[in-house]
Amino acid sequence: MRTPLVAGNWKMHGSREQLGQLLGEVIAGVGPDTHVEVLVCPAFVYLQAAAGMVSGSPVRLGAQNVCDKPEGAYTGEIAPGMLKDIGCDFVLVGHSERRAIYGESDTLVAAKFEAARAAGLVPVLCVGETLAERDAGQTEAVVARQLGALLDVAGAAALAQAVLAYEPVWAIGTGRTASPGQAQDVHEFIRRSVAAKDAKIADSLRILYGGSVKPGNAAEIFSMPDVDGGLIGGASLKGEDFLAIINAA
Ligand code: PGA
């Protein structure tokens, strides 16, 4: 059985006070006996304060990005070991906003994934197609390319200690969610692609869906056999909505 994971990607939103309050609500709302793993990913500068708050609670902490190098003269970057040092367990790599706005290539994303793993972090690899790619029938080809870049470098064994997130770009922040069937099709494709390399790892790999998940649609999406939770943007910024989505898992 795969333990469901629900992750909040808080992006570049909130102030110290707002996020402190939000995190307090999440910690209070997630019971100690929850069967869902809950992860929050605030902006870098708030991670240390968040680490103090989540300590002793079941809520886990992750960053939204990381450097692909372990240390050195990389002005403005944050090393994976630094994230681990302050109490992060997870890190998002290859979010579509990093790929599209900041030009992160499949190769760079794979390097970040490996650097994160080397530091003992669990990377959450985000993959997904744009609307133009979906309309052109290229969804599987795009996801296969993004996943393949990692499998080429690291092999399927690298996925034993990792999480995947399928996030169709056209569904992120748009209010347009993939239908449960559309999500399941791609999740099943991802699991099958990993299984071709290693069936055991594919079976235990958690694949999250992300893209306009809300309290009203979460349960239906999470009920799909290959959907193991969600990566939640907008709706994770409201304690009540995020908790409702966690409960739906
Ligand atoms: P959304 O964002 O839930 O606001 O669509 C998801 C994400 O970007 O991870």
Side-chain angles (χ1 to χ4, degrees):
M1 259 313 277
R2 299 183 290 266
T3 304
L5 173 64
V6 175
N9 174 7
W10 289 348
K11 307 194 180 185
M12 201 171 73
H13 291 299
S15 63
R16 182 165 55 159
E17 192 187 332
Q18 286 166 339
L19 295 183
Q21 194 181 332
L22 174 60
L23 184 52
E25 283 174 39
V26 173
I27 291 168
V30 174
D33 51 353
T34 175
H35 74 288
V36 179
E37 199 166 21
V38 177
L39 168 66
V40 295
C41 304
F44 282 132
V45 291
Y46 299 131
L47 283 171
Q48 186 140 28
M53 287 182 72
V54 300
S55 154
S57 89
V59 177
R60 317 284 296 275
L61 194 62
Q64 300 170 15
N65 185 23
V66 68
C67 187
D68 62 318
K69 307 286 195 302
E71 67 167 338
Y74 301 101
T75 302
E77 290 292 316
I78 307 284
M82 294 173 176
L83 296 177
K84 188 74 192 168
D85 190 27
I86 61 149
C88 282
D89 294 317
F90 291 79
V91 62
L92 309 182
V93 296
H95 188 280
S96 66
E97 286 151 18
R98 301 296 319 167
R99 294 177 189 264
I101 306 172
Y102 298 99
E104 292 191 8
S105 65
D106 293 337
T107 314
L108 178 62
V109 170
K112 289 185 175 202
F113 183 104
E114 278 303 83
R117 241 169 38 90
L121 294 166
V122 177
V124 180
L125 173 69
C126 305
V127 299
E129 81 290 359
T130 62
L131 188 57
E133 289 164 340
R134 170 162 286 264
D135 287 345
Q138 290 169 349
T139 299
E140 291 192 356
V142 169
V143 169
R145 189 199 74 223
Q146 293 169 335
L147 186 60
L150 175 76
L151 294 175
D152 288 350
V153 176
L159 293 175
Q161 257 13 277
V163 174
L164 275 186
Y166 168 58
E167 298 207 303
V169 179
W170 48 271
I172 295 178
T174 58
R176 210 182 135 179
T177 322
S179 69
Q182 283 174 322
Q184 169 59 23
D185 283 351
V186 180
H187 284 229
E188 198 265 334
F189 170 74
I190 292 171
R191 201 178 302 286
R192 198 160 16 96
S193 306
V194 176
K197 310 257 179 195
D198 190 313
K200 198 159 162 250
I201 287 174
D203 194 46
S204 63
L205 178 65
R206 289 183 291 181
I207 308 174
L208 313 183
Y209 169 80
S212 299
V213 177
K214 296 182 197 69
N217 60 24
E220 206 188 352
I221 296 173
F222 295 165
S223 71
M224 295 290 112
D226 287 300
V227 177
D228 306 305
L231 178 53
I232 321 301
S236 72
L237 288 163
K238 268 192 169 168
E240 197 186 328
D241 287 1
F242 190 45
L243 289 166
I245 293 169
I246 292 165
N247 284 330

